[in-house]
């Protein structure tokens, strides 16, 4: 069994057990420092935790939000939209949630490099779900230790969220609050295990184009063994890279539901925000087509819809995630644009 060495953990700025993270630069450099990622040249760390994973004889009590999303995923493909509301702003949250309600199947309320300070995840999920849209909560290991994460998982269970998206998280050295101390008590694989034990529908992210590319499918397999049901596939450059990644994951012995990210761009502001994503790879010519069009908003809606339709045609794809963020002040317009794409896809009709 391959396990992480104490030296690797000590040298990794995120103290990861199940590295590498998704932030490895394309040349193999660590997301945080000018050195080679310490996990690149070693075998994939195998899942060796047992404490948190539920067993068939000791299953977690049903969580209604998770049960509803599981039932939906068993019936048809879904549309998940990133949540664009301004941070710690109840009015913006309510307005954006209202713009998404009844149009998308869930909204992914996660992390933002430019807005690290957010309402606590369970409170934010409660506010959004009050407007009638299911929440798929993004939960990171950067800002909370194991105890705080366990508390949030309990809160999210009480709220009845559709899913919990477990990520290690970008380091505080990237993003808007470099003055904050990072925590990284756990990593995404360990958090997936905790979330599964709490009865949640669990998703994780994987970045097919981040080094070591040839080991990303095996790393996903370990996350599935830990408890992940769904993989959100980071922006990997289009349909063919996602198809290859699904195939590689199956060959590695795992078959989670796949929800690929679709770049949501309708103007220069949303294009700029998307470019801030770590290890972003977009389809050839995608941004140019939109930004050089006479009407970037219309062209963006067309380009996003076309890419989503092609992605949904792939075997193994359980849905799409409209991924990105709004220009400052255009949050509701951006939410509405995602609603338009979802309606065009017509999955719920
Ligand atoms: S790239 Fe990520 S996993 Fe690798 S050393 Fe840096 S923080 Fe750790």
């Amino acid at each position: 069994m391959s396990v992480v060495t104490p030296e690797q953990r000590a040298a990794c700025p995120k103290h990861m057990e199940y590295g590498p993270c998704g932030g490895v630069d394309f040349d193999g450099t660590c997301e945080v420092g000018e050195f080679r990622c310490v996990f690149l040249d070693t075998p994939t760390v195998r899942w060796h935790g047992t404490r948190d994973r539920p067993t068939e004889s000791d299953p977690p009590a049903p969580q209604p939000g998770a049960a509803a999303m599981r039932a939906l995923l068993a019936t048809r493909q879904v549309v998940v939209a990133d949540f664009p509301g301004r941070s710690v702003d109840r009015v913006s949250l309510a307005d954006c949630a209202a713009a998404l309600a009844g149009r998308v199947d869930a909204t992914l309320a996660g992390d933002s490099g430019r807005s690290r300070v957010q309402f606590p995840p369970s409170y934010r999920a409660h506010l959004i779900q009050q407007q009638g849209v299911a929440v798929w909560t993004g939960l990171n290991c950067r800002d909370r230790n194991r105890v705080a994460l366990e508390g949030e998982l309990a809160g999210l269970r009480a709220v009845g969220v559709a899913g919990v998206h477990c990520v290690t998280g970008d380091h505080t050295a990237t993003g808007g609050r470099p003055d904050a101390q990072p925590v990284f008590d756990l990593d995404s694989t360990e958090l997936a295990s905790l979330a599964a034990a709490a009865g949640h529908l669990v998703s994780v992210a994987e970045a097919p184009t981040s080094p070591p590319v040839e080991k990303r499918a095996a790393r996903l397999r370990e996350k599935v063994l830990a408890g992940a049901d769904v993989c959100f596939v980071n922006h990997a450059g289009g349909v063919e890279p996602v198809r290859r990644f699904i195939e590689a994951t199956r060959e590695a012995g795992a078959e989670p539901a796949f929800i690929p990210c679709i770049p949501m761009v309708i103007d220069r502001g949303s294009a700029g925000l998307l470019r801030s994503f770590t290890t972003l790879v977009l389809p050839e010519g995608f941004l140019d087509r939109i930004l050089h069009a006479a009407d970037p908003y219309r062209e963006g809606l067309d380009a996003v819809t076309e890419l989503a339709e092609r992605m949904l045609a792939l075997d193994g794809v359980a849905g799409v995630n409209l991924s990105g963020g709004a220009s400052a002040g255009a949050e509701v317009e951006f939410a509405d644009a995602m609603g338009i794409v979802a309606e065009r896809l017509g999955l719920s009709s």
Side-chain angles (χ1 to χ4, degrees):
M1 174 189 296
S2 168
V3 292
V4 67
T5 65
E7 292 76 21
Q8 272 174 303
R9 277 204 80 157
C12 170
K14 299 181 184 177
H15 313 305
M16 291 188 73
E17 182 78 13
Y18 298 93
C21 70
V24 186
D25 283 347
F26 297 123
D27 65 357
T29 305
C30 173
E31 169 188 300
V32 184
E34 289 300 313
F35 58 89
R36 187 169 169 80
C37 169
V38 298
F39 287 94
L40 280 195
D41 305 316
T42 57
T44 301
V45 180
R46 306 302 301 269
W47 169 245
H48 49 274
T50 53
R51 189 174 56 172
D52 306 316
R53 185 80 173 102
T55 64
E56 280 183 21
S57 60
D58 182 24
Q63 195 267 75
M69 183 51 72
R70 282 186 200 282
L72 193 58
L73 286 166
T75 309
R76 64 166 172 80
Q77 293 171 304
V78 300
V79 179
V80 179
D82 279 6
F83 189 71
R86 286 196 297 274
S87 66
V88 295
D89 182 334
R90 289 186 59 156
V91 174
S92 175
L93 259 63
D95 290 348
C96 289
L100 293 169
R103 305 170 86 186
V104 302
D105 295 302
T107 184
L108 179 60
D111 201 12
S112 167
R114 68 180 183 184
S115 307
R116 292 287 190 224
V117 181
Q118 299 279 348
F119 284 135
S122 47
Y123 177 59
R124 190 177 178 211
H126 166 70
L127 291 176
I128 297 170
Q129 290 205 160
Q130 275 187 326
Q131 301 301 319
V133 59
V135 172
W136 203 307
T137 289
L139 196 58
N140 74 69
C141 301
R142 177 192 57 243
D143 301 325
R144 294 174 179 81
N145 70 6
R146 168 187 278 271
V147 175
L149 289 167
E150 287 175 355
E152 280 300 337
L153 289 170
L156 293 167
R157 191 180 156 79
V159 172
V161 293
V164 178
H165 187 53
C166 300
V167 298
T168 302
D170 300 334
H171 197 276
T172 50
T174 67
R177 288 303 299 267
D179 56 326
Q181 286 298 311
V183 180
F184 298 120
D185 185 12
L186 302 179
D187 61 29
S188 57
T189 308
E190 295 165 318
L191 181 58
S193 173
L194 269 186
H200 290 293
L201 175 68
V202 177
S203 65
V204 290
E206 200 53 64
T209 55
S210 293
V213 171
E214 71 285 359
K215 295 179 189 163
R216 286 289 165 188
R219 182 164 184 260
L220 175 56
R221 177 194 61 215
E222 302 310 314
K223 290 179 177 179
V224 171
L225 289 172
D229 306 286
V230 176
C231 174
F232 283 76
V233 185
N234 287 8
H235 300 281
V239 176
E240 182 55 21
V242 172
R243 189 197 64 73
R244 286 199 302 269
F245 183 65
I246 292 173
E247 191 176 273
T249 305
R250 286 172 170 167
E251 285 170 4
E255 192 144 7
F258 289 93
I259 300 184
C261 293
I262 307 294
M264 184 72 208
V265 177
I266 53 170
D267 54 22
R268 290 198 174 277
S270 53
L273 191 131
L274 197 68
R275 285 195 188 102
S276 72
F277 286 20
T278 55
T279 62
L280 173 79
V281 183
L282 295 177
E284 185 84 27
F286 186 83
L287 280 187
D288 284 345
R289 169 184 168 180
I290 298 168
L291 297 179
H292 295 152
D295 185 342
Y297 178 80
R298 277 176 183 269
E299 195 68 29
L301 291 179
D302 289 347
V304 173
T305 305
E306 286 167 23
L307 182 58
E309 286 173 338
R310 292 176 56 218
M311 208 67 90
L312 287 165
L314 285 180
D315 182 38
V317 165
V320 287
N321 170 216
L322 305 178
S323 167
S327 304
E331 292 83 7
V332 174
E333 182 188 12
F334 192 78
D336 180 61
M338 290 193 286
I340 292 171
V341 172
E343 287 166 350
R344 286 183 176 186
L345 294 173
L347 298 176
S348 59
S349 56

